[in-house]
Amino acid sequence: MEAYQYDCASPDVEELARVISDLFPEQTQFIERPAEDGTPTLAVHWVAMRF
Protein backbone atom coordinates (compact mmCIF):
# COMPACT_ATOMS: atom_id res chain seq x y z
CA MET A 1 0.00 0.00 0.00
CA GLU A 2 1.27 3.45 -0.89
CA ALA A 3 1.91 5.68 2.10
CA TYR A 4 0.34 8.71 0.45
CA GLN A 5 -2.78 8.97 -1.70
CA TYR A 6 -3.08 11.70 -4.32
CA ASP A 7 -6.56 12.38 -5.72
CA CYS A 8 -5.94 15.53 -7.75
CA ALA A 9 -7.47 16.42 -11.09
CA SER A 10 -4.87 19.00 -12.11
CA PRO A 11 -1.14 18.20 -12.37
CA ASP A 12 -0.18 21.47 -10.66
CA VAL A 13 -2.17 20.66 -7.53
CA GLU A 14 -0.83 17.10 -7.47
CA GLU A 15 2.72 18.43 -7.74
CA LEU A 16 2.03 20.71 -4.77
CA ALA A 17 0.72 17.74 -2.79
CA ARG A 18 3.83 15.71 -3.59
CA VAL A 19 6.13 18.56 -2.54
CA ILE A 20 4.42 19.10 0.83
CA SER A 21 3.97 15.38 1.55
CA ASP A 22 7.36 15.35 3.29
CA LEU A 23 5.79 17.45 6.08
CA PHE A 24 3.12 14.90 6.94
CA PRO A 25 3.21 11.40 8.44
CA GLU A 26 2.44 8.33 6.37
CA GLN A 27 -1.15 7.50 5.42
CA THR A 28 -1.85 11.03 4.29
CA GLN A 29 -4.50 11.71 1.64
CA PHE A 30 -4.40 14.77 -0.62
CA ILE A 31 -7.70 15.61 -2.36
CA GLU A 32 -8.28 18.41 -4.83
CA ARG A 33 -11.74 19.98 -4.49
CA PRO A 34 -13.25 23.04 -6.12
CA ALA A 35 -14.10 25.96 -3.83
CA GLU A 36 -17.48 27.71 -4.08
CA ASP A 37 -16.05 30.07 -6.71
CA GLY A 38 -14.54 27.17 -8.69
CA THR A 39 -10.95 27.75 -7.57
CA PRO A 40 -9.17 24.45 -6.91
CA THR A 41 -8.34 23.78 -3.26
CA LEU A 42 -6.21 21.05 -1.71
CA ALA A 43 -7.64 19.13 1.27
CA VAL A 44 -5.14 17.18 3.37
CA HIS A 45 -6.26 14.33 5.64
CA TRP A 46 -3.83 12.38 7.78
CA VAL A 47 -3.97 9.76 10.50
CA ALA A 48 -2.76 11.06 13.85
CA MET A 49 -0.33 8.67 15.52
CA ARG A 50 0.67 8.43 19.16
CA PHE A 51 4.32 8.08 20.03
Side-chain angles (χ1 to χ4, degrees), residues 6-45:
Y6 304 96
D7 186 12
C8 305
S10 65
D12 292 338
V13 174
E14 182 169 335
E15 183 64 25
L16 174 63
R18 291 182 183 278
V19 168
I20 65 172
S21 64
D22 290 337
L23 303 174
F24 293 91
E26 292 183 358
Q27 298 179 354
T28 302
Q29 182 180 37
F30 299 88
I31 304 169
E32 180 182 355
R33 297 181 178 153
E36 290 181 14
D37 65 357
T39 305
T41 61
L42 181 62
V44 180
H45 302 276

